[in-house]
Amino acid sequence: MTEDKEAFLDRWSRLKQEQPAEKTTVPEAKEEPLPPLQAVEDLKPDSDFTPFMNPRVDDATRRSALKKLFADPHFNVADPFEAYSEDYTKSDPIPEKMLKAINRARDLAVDGPEKVAEKERLAQQAEQAEQAAQAEQAKQVEKAGLPTQEAEDVPGKQDA
C-alpha cells in the first residue's frame, strides 16, 4: 500500500516546480486606474480620505493628506483614559506652611528636639536683629529727609 504512494518530499518538490509554470500562464488582471485625488490643500477634516489610503498612492501624498487630517484640533486632544496621557512634570508647588512642617519633621528625626529648638531660637534672634536693623535704617532715612522707596513707587507715576 505504501509502495504506490509518492514520498512526501518528492511530491512537494514536484508541486513546487509546477507552480511557477501555472503562474506564468494565468493572465494578469488589469489594474484599475487610481480614483481622482482631491488637492491636499483643499482637504478638510470632514473630507473623504479613503482615496489616499489606496496602496498605489504615492507615500508622500498619503503622508501629506494624513498630516492635513491630523492637524485638526479635534485629534489633538489627549485621551483622558490613557494611562500616561497627563503631564506629570508640571505639578503644584508645595505650600510654604507644609514645606516648613516637612522640614521640621525631618530635622526632628535627624538632629533631635534639642538641636532643633536651638536652631529655631537662633533663627528667631537673627530675624529680630534683621528687623531692628531695618527699623534703624528707616529712622536714619527719615532724619536725613531722603524720600523712601515706598514714596517713589506710587501707582500711575511714570519716570520722566
Side-chain angles (χ1 to χ4, degrees), residues 135-160:
E136 182 65 32
Q137 185 181 11
K139 286 181 184 177
Q140 289 177 358
V141 168
E142 285 181 21
K143 285 182 182 177
L146 298 174
T148 61
Q149 186 176 1
E150 292 87 19
E152 292 178 4
D153 290 339
V154 177
K157 180 181 175 186
Q158 296 181 357
D159 295 333

Side-chain angles (χ1 to χ4, degrees), residues 3-158:
E3 296 170 3
D4 57 337
K5 283 193 175 182
E6 189 176 8
F8 172 76
L9 290 178
D10 292 335
R11 181 176 175 268
W12 177 80
S13 175
R14 180 179 51 81
L15 291 174
K16 199 69 167 159
Q17 289 174 357
E18 290 175 2
Q19 228 174 10
E22 290 176 7
K23 284 185 178 177
T24 57
T25 59
V26 175
E28 292 185 21
K30 291 185 178 180
E31 290 187 17
E32 295 179 19
L34 280 174
L37 297 176
Q38 187 177 359
V40 175
E41 295 81 26
D42 298 337
L43 289 173
K44 296 179 180 142
D46 57 345
S47 299
D48 184 22
F49 285 83
T50 52
F52 291 97
M53 299 303 119
N54 190 322
R56 292 182 292 148
V57 171
D58 182 35
D59 285 341
T61 307
R62 180 182 304 119
R63 211 173 288 121
S64 62
L66 289 174
K67 281 183 181 179
K68 184 77 170 181
L69 172 67
F70 290 116
D72 183 46
H74 169 75
F75 294 105
N76 198 15
V77 177
D79 183 11
F81 301 110
E82 180 67 28
Y84 299 104
S85 66
E86 294 183 28
D87 185 8
Y88 294 106
T89 60
K90 297 178 182 176
S91 62
D92 295 333
I94 299 175
E96 189 70 29
K97 187 176 180 181
M98 183 185 295
L99 190 60
K100 285 181 180 180
I102 291 171
N103 287 336
R104 179 164 165 63
R106 182 200 60 212
D107 291 343
L108 283 171
V110 173
D111 296 334
E114 296 84 20
K115 286 189 178 182
V116 171
E118 180 65 23
K119 284 182 185 178
E120 288 176 352
R121 187 180 60 77
L122 291 174
Q124 190 177 22
Q125 287 176 353
E127 186 177 334
Q128 288 174 353
E130 185 178 336
Q131 288 175 355
Q134 287 177 354
E136 182 65 32
Q137 185 181 11
K139 286 181 184 177
Q140 289 177 358
V141 168
E142 285 181 21
K143 285 182 182 177
L146 298 174
T148 61
Q149 186 176 1
E150 292 87 19
E152 292 178 4
D153 290 339
V154 177
K157 180 181 175 186
Q158 296 181 357

